[in-house]
Structures are given as structure tokens and as C-alpha cells.
Amino acid sequence: MDKDLSWYKKLFEGAVVQISADGDSTTQENADFWSAVSGRRVDMLAKIMRIGQYPEGNCIIRKNGYGSRSTQEWVGTGQTEYYSHPDDATTYPNGLLDLTMAQTPDLLIFMHGLNDAYKGEDAGSTIEQRVAMFEANLTEGLQRIRGSVAVNGRPAYN
């Protein structure tokens, strides 16, 4: 992302804005622009865009939702006992976040947490352990998005 031209400045200037919506099945769908941004998790974005009369064609929105995935797969922890799809550990060693960041979004909206609540339940982890795992994964993801130093051996994107 060009640091001198933030997503909201791009909106104001009428430039093309690339938005990625990451998450689980709550962000997974293929739809045209306005129906994609009118989903439960991004309603406010649609309202802002319409109120500002922002040209629909100037916005590229990607729904990077993967059903039944959690923050484990998002950051790529490799702890397959918590993965819904254990093959993700080898297919996406740096997590699904790596795919999103390769798209160089101007704005990243993410919705995770629903699947984290029960991931690991079968592996015998307590709810407290699952919450701690969620917080650790979320922290790592944010550090990698904004940072310039690898976290847990996985790349940073700033």
C-alpha cells in the first residue's frame, strides 16, 4: 500500500480502492460489488460508499472467506490438530493471510472468531486455551500486516 495515499484519501480523490474481506464462511461468497459489500460484516462500508456517491467501478472488493477456517489457518500456525483442513498446513504454510496480502489491498476487513470458539475442542483444549490461541493468532496477523519483521518465522508485509 502506498503510505502517501491511504484508502480513505483514495476514496476522496476518486481513485481505485482495493478492499479484501478475510474470514470464515461469513465472508465467503462470490457476488457483484454491491451485494458483496452488503453482507452482515461489511454493511457500514456499503453505507459509506453509497452516501459518498463513490463510483461502483472504482472499487475492487475481494471476498477471501474460507468456510470452517479459523485464525490458525489464517496465520498458518501449522498446528493441524486445530485445522479443519489439515492440508492447509502444506498448501498455505504462511497461512491464508499470505494470499490476501499478495493482492496488496488498500483496506483489509476481517471477520474471525466464530470457528476459533470450538477449534481444538476435540483435541481437549479448554475454552480459555482457545481464547488465548485466538488472541495470539490475531496479534500475529496484525503484527505481520503492519510490521516489517517476520513473526514466528512467517513473513511480514509492510
Side-chain angles (χ1 to χ4, degrees):
M1 182 176 118
D2 182 351
K3 291 179 189 244
D4 296 329
L5 196 56
S6 61
W7 69 271
Y8 48 86
K9 187 173 181 186
K10 282 185 170 185
L11 282 176
F12 179 76
E13 293 180 352
V16 173
V17 174
Q18 296 185 59
I19 301 169
S20 291
D22 273 23
D24 49 33
S25 60
T26 62
T27 58
Q28 181 181 2
E29 67 180 74
N30 294 317
D32 64 80
F33 173 77
W34 288 117
S35 33
V37 296
S38 66
R40 292 178 285 192
R41 305 297 175 207
V42 286
D43 274 346
M44 190 53 66
L45 176 61
K47 289 177 185 176
I48 291 168
M49 301 289 281
R50 287 187 179 125
I51 290 168
Q53 298 178 351
Y54 190 73
E56 179 179 326
N58 283 11
C59 188
I60 299 167
I61 188 163
R62 294 179 182 96
K63 298 288 256 176
N64 297 324
Y66 299 92
S68 71
R69 299 325 200 277
S70 70
T71 56
Q72 294 286 325
E73 291 101 336
W74 187 56
V75 297
T77 65
Q79 295 177 279
T80 56
E81 66 271 22
Y82 301 110
Y83 279 30
S84 295
H85 303 271
D87 290 346
D88 284 355
T90 52
T91 307
Y92 311 109
N94 295 314
L96 296 166
L97 176 60
D98 209 35
L99 300 176
T100 295
M101 296 312 291
Q103 298 169 346
T104 62
D106 297 301
L107 176 63
L108 173 60
I109 300 168
F110 57 92
M111 168 53 192
H112 280 288
L114 296 174
N115 295 325
D116 288 88
Y118 70 87
K119 293 292 174 129
E121 193 171 30
D122 293 337
S125 62
T126 65
I127 189 66
E128 291 82 6
Q129 290 169 319
R130 294 191 301 272
V131 168
M133 220 178 336
F134 169 73
E135 289 176 352
N137 294 334
L138 189 59
T139 298
E140 177 184 327
L142 294 173
Q143 287 173 336
R144 288 172 55 198
I145 291 165
R146 302 196 129 217
S148 56
V149 177
V151 180
N152 295 324
R154 294 179 281 276
Y157 307 102
N158 191 9

